Every structure is written in C-alpha cells, then in structure tokens.
Amino acid sequence: MMRFSVLDLCPIIEGGTAADAFRNSLDLAQHAEGWGYQRFWLAEHHNMPGIASAATSVVIAHIAGGTKTIRIGSGGVMLPNHSPLVIAEQFGTLASLFPGRIDLGLGRAPGTDVTAAKALRRELLTTDQFPKDVVELQTYFRAAQPGQQVRAVPGSGLNVPIWLLGSSLFSAQLAAQLGLPFAFAAHFAPADLVPALKLYRHFFKPSEQLDRPYAMVCITVICSETDGEARRLFTSQQQAFLALRRGRPGQLKPPVDDIDAVCSPAEKGLIDQELSCAILGSSLSVRHGLQDFIADILPDELMITANVYEHAARLKSFEMVAGVRNQLG
C-alpha cells in the first residue's frame, strides 16, 4: 500500500484564534494516526494571519507530545531564516524527546513577504547559502569527530532524517546531489512537478541516508459525500490563494457557493493554474483522480493537504481519503 501523509497548514479560520488552530491540528494528527497516515508535517510561514505554525519546532513538539506513533516533522523549516546550528539543536531536542518519530524537511524560500524576511534575517544575503547550510546542518547530526569545536547538543549523532522540499528544479537537483529524499509542493506549484521529479531521479547519488531516490508529492485532496460539496469546501482554499495574490492574506474564510462571484476571470484562471493538482469529489471521484495521478507521476509517497474551514468537514475528508487509500491497495 502506498504511504499517505498529511501536510497541515494549521489554519486560523475567520473568527477563530491560533489556540483554536493548535487544538484542531492536534485533533487531526491524533485521528490521522488512527487512520494509518505515515507522517504529519507542519510548515513555517510568517506574517500570515491565517497560518499558526510560524514557530514550527514548537508546534511539532505540541503535536508529537499528543500522538504516539505517527512521524511528525516540518514541511518545512525555511533554512534561510535560521542558522544551521540552531535548527540542529531544535530538531536534536525533538528527536531526543520523541525518538524515531521526527522528520526535518527543509525549504529554501523565506516563507513570507520581503518585508517580513528582512525582519527575520536582519540582512538579506546576496548569494544563495542554502546548499552550504544544508551540508553544515548534516554535519551537526553526525557523530562528533575528535577536535570538533562546534557541536549540536542535543543533535550530535542522532542522524535526524533530512528532506529537501521544493517547488522548482533547484532543490530537486540538490536533493539528487546530496542523496536526500525529495518532497515536491504540487499543491501550489504544479508546473515543474514532472521535470523536477525526472531530474531528481536521473541524477540521484546514493548517500548514507538513502540508497535510491525517494520522491514524495504534496497535493490537495478534499473528499466529501458529493462532488459538489467537495468543490464547495475547496472554495476556502481558493479564497486564501486569491487573498495572497492580492497581497492581502487573511484568516481562512468560510466556503462560498460560487467562487466566480468573488474573483475576476483573470484571477480565477491564475487560481486554477496554481491549484491544478487538486483532487476533489466523492470517494469514487477521488479514487479515480488518485489512480490517474499515481499512474502518471509514480510518487513513492503522497502527502495530502486540505485547507477546509469547518474542522469536522476536514476530519471527514481525511478519513474518507484514508478509506480510498485502502481501496487503492
């Protein structure tokens, strides 16, 4: 059976609070564990009124502490915002608290707008330090060498699994070069999915962590009793993308009956393009959609995200998707 995992954006719904979002995320993770999902990841975003997981390692600790077996990780930590040593210490701490259950997914983008990125990093580097920082981070998780002056404590010798995340060809190439598992963000950037996976698989070099390429693809999947209801639930995510493209991100809005009524044709076309990998519908429709997607892309693992306004509907969607996964075999 193909592994299915969860990407939770820890949504703050309109009229809700971050505390509500954290309670709902833990509830989803506990249910996902029971439904047989492989891992539960949270993403670092900043200056986003609708996403509560800015302090990603803290939220990971909250979720891991309330679950027992499911892997918990970052999808991802935006490494340009941090020093590699600090991330090694944070995830070394998590791996010490929850042995064998922590994943460290790394992203290259700041996870925010330019102004907030400056506030995070104080000064923006003119050269891309990401490859160098990934390699430095790897050294902190290996056993300390004689004479090594800087160590991650905790972290040294724990070999926390590192993933590279990407929405373009850059991280696919770097993951191949370093022999790391690769996760592609097709839920918001589907255009480069096929070429990125082709590049990653073709140029992959075995490493201490991984002997062959392992590609996970993240897509939106929303499942409900009818196709129409699933499409209606999806309008919350469409509105979130619309607000982001307008430069006015906000809390996650309730679904609407007609998405065309709240955006222009040009905006709708852009949303449709960016969210083209979404699979929506009843169990039967989702099963057919997943079968086609898996046959075309051949992922090693699927990560599912569903930014649904109503928590009960979000739970139901993930439960139904788990049922579809079992039918796929």
Side-chain angles (χ1 to χ4, degrees):
M1 183 188 302
M2 175 171 288
R3 292 173 171 175
F4 275 40
S5 293
V6 176
L7 173 65
D8 177 32
L9 295 180
C10 210
I12 305 174
I13 66 170
E14 192 169 77
T17 66
D20 297 329
F22 296 140
R23 282 191 293 269
N24 288 341
S25 289
L26 177 57
D27 188 44
L28 175 59
Q30 291 169 337
H31 280 87
E33 184 172 70
W35 295 327
Y37 284 92
Q38 173 70 13
R39 60 190 93 240
F40 190 96
W41 281 7
L42 299 125
E44 177 185 348
H45 291 86
H46 299 278
N47 205 29
M48 297 284 188
I51 299 177
S53 51
T56 314
S57 60
V58 179
V59 185
I60 289 172
H62 170 63
I63 302 299
T67 52
K68 297 178 180 178
T69 58
I70 191 171
R71 298 190 66 89
I72 312 296
S74 58
V77 160
M78 302 297 112
L79 193 54
N81 299 337
H82 312 277
S83 75
L85 178 59
V86 168
I87 295 304
E89 292 170 339
Q90 289 179 0
F91 278 78
T93 300
L94 289 167
S96 298
L97 290 169
F98 310 103
R101 294 183 55 211
I102 300 299
D103 297 324
L104 174 52
L106 299 172
R108 177 170 165 252
T112 187
D113 55 84
V114 173
T115 303
K118 290 180 180 179
L120 284 164
R121 294 178 283 176
R122 299 303 179 189
E123 68 177 69
L124 298 177
L125 299 173
T126 56
T127 58
D128 193 336
Q129 297 291 311
F130 184 69
K132 179 181 176 182
D133 286 349
V134 172
V135 172
E136 180 182 346
L137 180 55
Q138 287 181 302
T139 66
Y140 292 131
F141 288 134
R142 298 191 184 111
Q145 299 300 306
Q148 183 175 332
Q149 294 184 333
V150 179
R151 304 182 183 188
V153 182
S156 179
L158 294 183
N159 297 315
V160 176
I162 292 177
W163 293 65
L164 291 193
L165 282 56
S167 56
S168 65
L169 303 184
F170 182 95
S171 289
Q173 185 172 359
L174 183 60
Q177 179 183 340
L178 296 178
L180 295 174
F182 178 58
F184 191 89
H187 61 296
F188 70 84
D192 283 333
L193 170 60
V194 172
L197 294 188
K198 183 177 180 180
L199 185 154
Y200 170 66
R201 288 162 173 158
H202 181 74
F203 290 103
F204 180 85
K205 298 178 181 178
S207 67
E208 293 179 3
Q209 180 174 334
L210 199 62
D211 62 354
R212 58 183 177 180
Y214 191 93
M216 179 164 64
V217 178
C218 184
I219 59 174
T220 294
V221 182
I222 297 177
C223 196
S224 191
E225 296 299 332
T226 67
D227 291 356
E229 178 59 16
R231 287 194 296 268
R232 179 179 174 275
L233 295 175
F234 183 54
T235 62
S236 294
Q237 188 163 336
Q238 290 174 307
Q239 291 178 85
F241 269 76
L242 178 63
L244 186 62
R245 293 296 168 258
R246 289 174 174 175
R248 300 192 299 271
Q251 296 179 329
L252 189 67
K253 292 182 176 295
V256 295
D257 293 331
D258 182 9
I259 191 64
D260 292 329
V262 298
C263 63
S264 69
E267 289 174 326
K268 180 59 163 45
L270 180 61
I271 293 171
D272 288 346
Q273 180 179 350
E274 292 181 325
L275 302 179
S276 62
C277 277
I279 297 174
L280 317 167
S282 65
S283 292
L284 180 60
S285 296
V286 166
R287 178 159 62 86
H288 290 158
L290 287 173
Q291 284 174 330
D292 291 343
F293 184 84
I294 292 169
D296 288 342
I297 304 301
L298 300 175
D300 297 292
E301 184 172 337
L302 278 180
M303 179 160 273
I304 307 302
T305 190
N307 237 12
V308 173
Y309 178 82
E310 298 167 345
H311 182 58
R314 185 164 70 136
L315 288 178
K316 185 64 176 176
S317 178
F318 277 104
E319 182 181 15
M320 294 177 72
V321 170
V324 171
R325 173 206 60 202
N326 296 340
Q327 295 172 5
L328 293 176

